[in-house]
């Protein structure tokens, strides 16, 4: 949600993902959990990787292009032969980018959000015939004990990740993945977004965010204590007593229990319970809107469908299956997509 970093477009030919020659339409990109401790280690390791660091400096006019080696950290898939324009970030607004050590940001929003009108990767893959349909879905594994972080599926969705049917909700503003939210309920007593409001689905946001006043009322109801930057903590011992928080989308309730919306971590041996709801006022004209981030998208799988000439863009939602509970998962995947 921060302003786009300063970007400098450069063209790269990128061997990214493997497309099944059989014409199978789904491309699977596993998501890996990076343990906080290991992050730093990898960061240090990463520094050693390029044999020699490029000499950076402003090119003088008429100079030949400057080639900057990119060291590959986690090789996000397997499509081959895609030609995608990259933006190079020249300035990063937060240390997150240094410590999280990722290869970059894969923009999956609508083309209108793209810096300097560059074609987004999704559009390019469809144009170049590497993907049948402009559809993708995220399955996020929220269990911090598991190394498997989930899966990004390009070209469709895999019912092995969710419990059908999907509830489809039309995209109201095709920029972010914005939909209309009918209501939010906190237990039986409190109603938020009472007249309906806007919400976006965003894997790039960790928590669920909403307008300050509403998030304050929500925490008053569940006993949240303000922390910093719109975040709240919860007394861990209260978790079993906390009410469900429910979102009405497309006429269907999507409920989160306290187990879903409280993030339990241990820092220096101390158990800490962070509320999954954060106050964030997105200013007009884009906002105000709620952001249904990873806290929501871990419990509910979202299928993002850009639509085509005949159908408009929409988001499908269904409860995620937990992988451990579903023995058929690996077999389904292999049977459908050999190799
Ligand atoms: C989900 O929340 C709604 C609204 O509070 C409630 O009416 C419904 O019974 C809940 N569903 C489940 C399965 O808990």
């Amino acid at each position: 949600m921060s302003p786009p970093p300063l970007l400098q477009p450069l063209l790269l030919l990128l061997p990214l993902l493997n497309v099944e020659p059989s014409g199978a339409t789904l491309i699977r990109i596993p998501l890996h959990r990076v343990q906080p401790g290991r992050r730093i280690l990898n960061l240090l390791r990463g520094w050693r990787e390029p044999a020699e660091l490029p000499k950076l400096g402003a090119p003088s006019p008429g100079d030949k292009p400057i080639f900057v080696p990119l060291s590959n950290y986690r090789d996000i898939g397997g499509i081959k032969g895609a030609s995608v324009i990259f933006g190079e970030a020249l300035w990063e607004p937060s240390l997150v980018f240094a410590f999280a050590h990722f290869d970059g940001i894969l923009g999956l929003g609508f083309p209108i959000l793209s810096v300097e009108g560059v074609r987004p990767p999704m559009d390019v893959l469809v144009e170049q015939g590497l993907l049948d349909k402009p559809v993708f879905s995220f399955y996020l594994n929220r269990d911090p004990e598991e190394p498997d972080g989930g899966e990004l599926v390009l070209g469709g969705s895999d019912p092995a990740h969710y419990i059908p049917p999907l509830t489809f909700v039309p995209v109201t503003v095709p920029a972010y993945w914005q939909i209309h939210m009918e209501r939010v309920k906190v237990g039986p007593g409190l109603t938020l977004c009472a007249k309906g409001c806007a919400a976006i689905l965003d894997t790039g946001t960790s928590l669920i965010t909403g307008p300050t006043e509403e998030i304050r009322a929500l925490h008053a109801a569940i006993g949240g204590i303000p922390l910093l930057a719109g975040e709240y903590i919860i007394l861990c011992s209260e978790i079993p007593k906390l009410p469900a928080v429910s979102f009405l989308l497309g006429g269907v309730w999507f409920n989160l229990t306290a187990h879903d919306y409280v993030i339990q971590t241990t820092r220096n041996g101390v158990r800490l319970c962070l509320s999954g709801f954060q106050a964030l006022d997105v200013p007009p004209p884009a906002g105000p809107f709620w952001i249904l981030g990873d806290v929501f998208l871990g419990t509910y799988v979202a299928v993002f469908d850009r639509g085509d000439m005949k159908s408009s863009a929409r988001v499908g939602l269904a409860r995620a299956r937990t992988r451990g509970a579903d023995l058929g998962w690996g077999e389904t995947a292999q049977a459908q997509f050999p190799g």
Side-chain angles (χ1 to χ4, degrees), residues 185 187 246 253 255:
K185 286 205 78 177
S246 316
W253 284 106
N255 300 6

Side-chain angles (χ1 to χ4, degrees), residues 9 202 206 270:
D202 182 22
S206 305
V270 180

